[in-house]
Amino acid sequence: MADTIIRERRRAKAAVDGRDNGKTTQDASVTRGSAVKSALFYVGLAALSAGCVYFLQDFFKILLEPWIDFREHALHGVSKFGNAEITADVERRDAIVDAFKYAWHAYERDAMGDDEYHPISHQGTNLSSAGGIGYTVVDSLDTMMIMGLDDEVERGRKWVAEKLSFEKDASFSTFETTIRVLGGLLSAYHLSGKDALYLEKAVDLADRMLPAFDTPSGLPLSSINLAQRTGISDGDNNGWVSTAEVATLQLEMRYLSVLTDDDVYWKAAENVMAIIRKNNLRPNLATIFMDPNSGAFIPFDIRLGSRGDSYYEYLLKQYLQTAKSEGVYREMYSESMDAINKHLVQQSTTSSLIYTAELLPERKSGNDMLWHLVPKQDHLVCFLGGSLMLGATTAGALVEEVSVPPRPAELSPEGRRDWRVGVELIHTCMETHKTATGLAPEIVHFRIPGDGIDTHMMDMPNDWYIKGARPGAPPPLDARYILRPETVESLFIAYRLSGEKRYRDHGWRIFQAIEKHCKVSTGGYAAVLNVDELPVTLEDKMETFLLSETFKYLYLLFSDADVIPLSEYVLNTEAHPLPIFMPSFRTGFS
């Protein structure tokens, strides 16, 4: 009886254990299935993250470089080790000289002394009814000196001596007159071996321009009547002044003070920088307008193109001009580059092109302000690539003399970041030359998700496009190429700092495109109305910066390193080289 009870209990227990084992097996199976799914999810997430990091690694490095030390054997964009030898490419250099002479001789034949030249109609025009102030002649003098065109220089000097007068009762741009005429005269004075004629003219012009600074804040007005010596406010923009324009007079005024031993020019220009430093917005991105009465920034667009560009350019160049003796400019420059990298540097969706966007304000209720990022980049911004590389090897250097090309250990994390961004921006600017003509348009927009462009249609752009360009329609202003120099400016600087042959090759292709599409058969060069249309339609105007900047930078690109060395000169925003010096007097920012 007892045995029977024990056997029954054992059978019952075995049955229960069986059920429990089945449930345990089922639970284990479910757990294994969940674990597999979870593992697959995390593997997929890791793969996606790794893919993003791989394809966007340059962009992530740009963002993180100041905080993470990415040790590399060579800097980004540098293909070989060792010291580069910068020697002349004589054949290409001489081709640039021939092109300059072709343009200059046509101007000299048709419009000598006039401010602007129209090569198709064979005539010149002046900026005012009172007459011109030698825009083209003075803007071209130092280019001819650098190229060794002695006969052309002598004829240009003769015109300056006999016919250049600033006693003109008319309104002239304070900014343009400074960078083109004052800058051109100062550079000609230096390169000519101190020909007194050029300095006398420079002093006369600067004295006539100083009254533009007579405002409540000290910010100069947009225009000046040279005969009456009175400043004229901008009637089109509420009397505001452009940030780039008021902050791009300093190299010229400061050098003139050194030459004359009169600090009146220096103080006027330096006061502008003190106002900007005091009133600048955070995070150190300047809007494009300021109030000349209060000195305050106007809540307006933030961009690196028109009305903003050369403000950032001159922050670095003022630091370099005085042999790095004014640390405040290095500080202002570094803060601005940090802000640009953080807020304006973007990456295109398809080919990962690095570009700079614009910030547009939108006022909300009360005093709240929202800023919208717009994927638009002017051709003017193409100066920034070379400028960043120059800043990386100077303001961002850890050693006194940086190698060519630089070694990573010679640059700070910020310097390596700016070098990388500079290289990538030049690459992007060269991508915008991939048009029917090989010339870059005035303005491009970059693709962003939800931009409304049908990607399924043929010939739709993957990365950038010219806004408003439609087959059969009149070309938008954005589609023009007006002989601008900014890309070749960056190519020149990049080649001098790296020795990378591709920068010369890029420059040569641009020059060939100018020769093919902009050259006028009877002399001179003209702007192209639509870079994506063949045959081209030309606009009857040859900008003075073709002679002062575009051809000069191309010539320097193919010259020896000792022709206008970057260690001895700063070039103003019109490419007029001014020597680096140590101030003989204590400056406000010393």
Side-chain angles (χ1 to χ4, degrees), residues 19 238 376 423 463 486 504:
R19 286 195 300 272
N238 302 305
K376 167 180 172 284
V423 168
D463 279 299
E486 285 75 19
R504 278 185 165 177

Side-chain angles (χ1 to χ4, degrees), residues 288-332:
I288 62 171
F289 284 116
M290 300 181 73
D291 184 345
N293 293 309
S294 67
F297 282 90
I298 304 298
F300 215 84
D301 301 357
I302 293 174
R303 61 179 181 237
L304 303 179
S306 61
R307 298 186 181 274
D309 50 355
S310 50
Y311 159 64
Y312 300 99
E313 175 190 355
Y314 269 38
L315 288 179
L316 174 63
K317 290 183 176 179
Q318 287 177 86
Y319 173 61
L320 300 180
Q321 184 184 33
T322 53
K324 305 177 187 176
S325 64
E326 297 174 289
V328 65
Y329 291 116
R330 178 180 181 176
E331 179 182 334
M332 293 174 72

Side-chain angles (χ1 to χ4, degrees), residues 5 17 53 57 94 138 146 162 233 270 276 286 361 432 563:
I5 292 172
D17 289 344
V53 170
Q57 56 183 311
D94 291 351
V138 178
I146 292 168
E162 296 177 357
S233 62
E270 185 178 68
I276 288 176
T432 65
V563 180

Side-chain angles (χ1 to χ4, degrees), residues 202-222:
V203 171
D204 180 26
L205 177 59
D207 286 345
R208 294 171 183 271
M209 296 181 65
L210 280 177
F213 292 85
D214 291 340
T215 63
S217 69
L219 295 179
L221 295 176
S222 299

Side-chain angles (χ1 to χ4, degrees), residues 305-306 376-382 432 435 439-445 464-466 476-486 528-531 543 545:
S306 61
K376 167 180 172 284
Q377 181 173 287
D378 295 1
H379 187 278
L380 289 167
V381 181
C382 287
T432 65
T435 61
L439 301 167
E442 182 75 356
I443 297 173
V444 299
H445 284 72
W464 64 270
Y465 61 97
I466 302 171
L477 293 178
D478 291 7
R480 298 173 300 160
Y481 173 69
I482 60 172
L483 308 170
R484 284 206 183 275
E486 285 75 19
V528 170
L529 289 177
N530 188 351
V531 297
E543 296 282 356
F545 49 66

